[in-house]
Amino acid sequence: MTTTAAPRPVRPQAAAQTRDYFELSQRVKDAGLMGRNVRSYVLRTILLALALGGAFTLLFTLGSTWWQLAVAALFGILFTQAAFLGHDAAHQQVFSSGKRNEWFSRIIGNFVVGLSIAWWTRKHNKHHANPNTIGRDGDIAAGALVFVPGDASERTGFMGWLAKRQGWAFFPVLSLFAFVMHYEAISAVFRTERVKHRTAEGVLVLTRLIGFPVIVFATLGLGMGAAFLGVQLAVFGIYMGSSFAPNHKGMPLIPKGLEVDFLRRQVLTSRNITGGRLMNWAMGGLDLQIEHHLFPRMPSANLRKVQPIVKEFCAERGITYTETNLLRSYGIIIRYLNRVGLGHADPMDCPLAAQLRGAPLPG
């Protein structure tokens, strides 16, 4: 928040909105849901280690058979589950010690997944501070796809053609997402000016990004090894992207200069995914995105417990609480991307826009 020499008086409505989050936080604290839940993370880590051990056993024992492509897909799934675990540690959810969380996320992120936790944390923290805020949230910055209305008009040639059909290209593009993340990991470690524990990050991420392909090629040979890595990277990219995208894509965008209180900024730009405990496991807790954004340090195992409190509070304050199933969320994303690519000026719903601006909704 920018400070000035002469602070502006706080509007009564803005002050009330600011108090809303503190009141909600107090309800959550009174329910005892902010404490660490180390046991659940120990169990998740043990199960993940056993599953990875099983995957390596299959890799070493099946031989050069096409069944290895199923093993490759399994590795893609397990690396994504590891990324979810590293995500929680980076949010300080696992241990009460910040240093332990930091090193746990660094080992999981760099050594197991092959991502730079320093790069990811810097990017992800900006997203949490300003979700879906134009010019501030890197997750909606233009790349292969365009997420902000108006950006598509600057694209010509093949990229312009792609932008008009980008909704249909969403999942094919995600198959390349792993390459982008691994590239960013190397770039962050070797090119970024400031990286905490650069040497450790470099050793861990290079060991993973060089060591795993070497093991695969040594076990399966060049041809089958290349196919194995291709499947593993595609599954990892699609699984990662399709787990994160439903949370915010197609939700309201906040103009850069618009001031929105923390509670509404987080709730109105986020979408929960229904599906119970199975969906909770499949998305690593990201299915409860509203609760995660409101309480980013809350252990993911507690998010389902806090959900009724948040839903009740939002209903009391007239704040739209959005949740849908996974398939519908993908439909929303595809339609949204196509609309943006075709040049629609404002894909936001007016009632939600009114809530973002703090204006009273029609009764």
Side-chain angles (χ1 to χ4, degrees):
M1 182 181 294
T2 304
T3 57
T4 60
R8 291 172 295 176
V10 179
R11 294 180 293 113
Q13 182 185 23
Q17 290 175 347
T18 300
R19 287 196 299 270
D20 284 346
Y21 180 69
F22 290 105
E23 182 178 336
L24 173 61
S25 297
Q26 191 58 53
R27 293 188 190 182
V28 172
K29 289 176 183 176
D30 291 343
L33 296 174
M34 290 304 295
R36 298 296 185 270
N37 192 344
V38 180
R39 275 182 162 184
S40 67
Y41 286 107
V42 170
L43 179 60
R44 283 176 62 181
T45 304
I46 292 173
L47 292 176
L48 178 63
L50 291 174
L52 283 168
F56 273 108
T57 300
L58 291 173
L59 170 62
F60 295 142
T61 59
L62 282 180
S64 187
T65 168
W66 290 110
W67 284 107
Q68 289 285 11
L69 298 187
V71 180
L74 175 60
F75 270 106
I77 292 171
L78 294 178
F79 288 150
T80 306
Q81 284 291 323
F84 294 152
L85 196 57
H87 163 271
D88 287 7
H91 272 296
Q92 306 291 311
Q93 294 178 16
V94 181
F95 304 104
S96 57
S97 165
K99 190 173 183 179
R100 289 182 180 179
N101 280 307
E102 180 183 319
W103 276 102
F104 185 70
S105 64
R106 182 172 292 116
I107 291 169
I108 294 290
N110 289 266
F111 183 66
V112 179
V113 185
L115 303 181
S116 166
I117 204 66
W119 162 76
W120 181 86
T121 301
R122 184 165 53 247
K123 176 178 179 293
H124 198 61
N125 284 348
K126 290 180 180 179
H127 160 70
H128 265 267
N130 298 283
N132 273 22
T133 302
I134 298 172
R136 292 183 177 177
D137 183 0
D139 286 2
I140 59 171
L145 304 177
V146 180
F147 298 102
V148 178
D151 286 356
S153 62
E154 302 173 3
R155 304 212 159 179
T156 58
F158 172 74
M159 295 306 292
W161 177 88
L162 177 64
K164 294 177 181 179
R165 300 159 179 83
Q166 63 177 1
W168 306 118
F170 174 64
F171 286 106
V173 167
L174 286 184
S175 67
L176 304 174
F177 190 37
F179 293 97
V180 175
M181 290 187 288
H182 291 323
Y183 168 78
E184 292 289 354
I186 295 173
S187 178
V189 171
F190 294 102
R191 295 177 59 186
T192 305
E193 291 183 7
R194 295 182 180 179
V195 174
K196 194 174 182 180
H197 298 288
R198 183 190 301 272
T199 301
E201 289 235 349
V203 170
L204 291 170
V205 79
L206 286 180
T207 300
R208 161 63 177 85
L209 294 181
I210 295 173
F212 185 66
V214 166
I215 291 172
V216 170
F217 284 125
T219 304
L220 301 179
L222 188 60
M224 182 62 72
F228 183 100
L229 290 174
V231 170
Q232 180 265 302
L233 289 167
V235 170
F236 175 55
I238 292 172
Y239 189 6
M240 280 282 284
S242 60
S243 297
F244 280 88
N247 304 326
H248 301 282
K249 300 300 182 284
M251 294 299 288
L253 302 180
I254 302 177
K256 188 174 181 178
L258 181 65
E259 293 184 10
V260 184
D261 71 286
F262 180 81
L263 176 65
R264 286 159 182 79
R265 183 165 70 245
Q266 304 300 336
V267 174
L268 296 175
T269 61
S270 302
R271 177 193 299 117
N272 278 6
I273 305 300
T274 59
R277 294 188 180 277
L278 180 60
M279 187 61 64
N280 190 246
W281 170 84
M283 295 187 68
L286 298 178
D287 55 319
L288 297 168
Q289 190 69 188
I290 294 173
E291 288 71 24
H292 170 57
H293 261 254
L294 287 172
F295 306 103
R297 293 195 174 195
M298 177 180 289
S300 57
N302 288 355
L303 294 176
R304 190 159 298 282
K305 299 175 184 177
V306 81
Q307 185 183 27
I309 299 175
V310 174
K311 289 181 75 171
E312 180 183 29
F313 191 87
C314 287
E316 290 173 4
R317 297 299 188 275
I319 302 170
T320 300
Y321 182 103
T322 303
E323 57 183 345
T324 187
N325 64 50
L326 189 63
L327 291 180
R328 285 180 181 171
S329 74
Y330 291 148
I332 292 169
I333 293 168
I334 290 171
R335 290 192 296 272
Y336 171 81
L337 288 173
N338 282 335
R339 283 172 58 84
V340 171
L342 290 170
H344 286 256
D346 188 3
M348 289 174 59
D349 281 333
C350 291
L352 284 176
Q355 286 194 63
L356 279 169
R357 292 180 173 87
L361 294 173

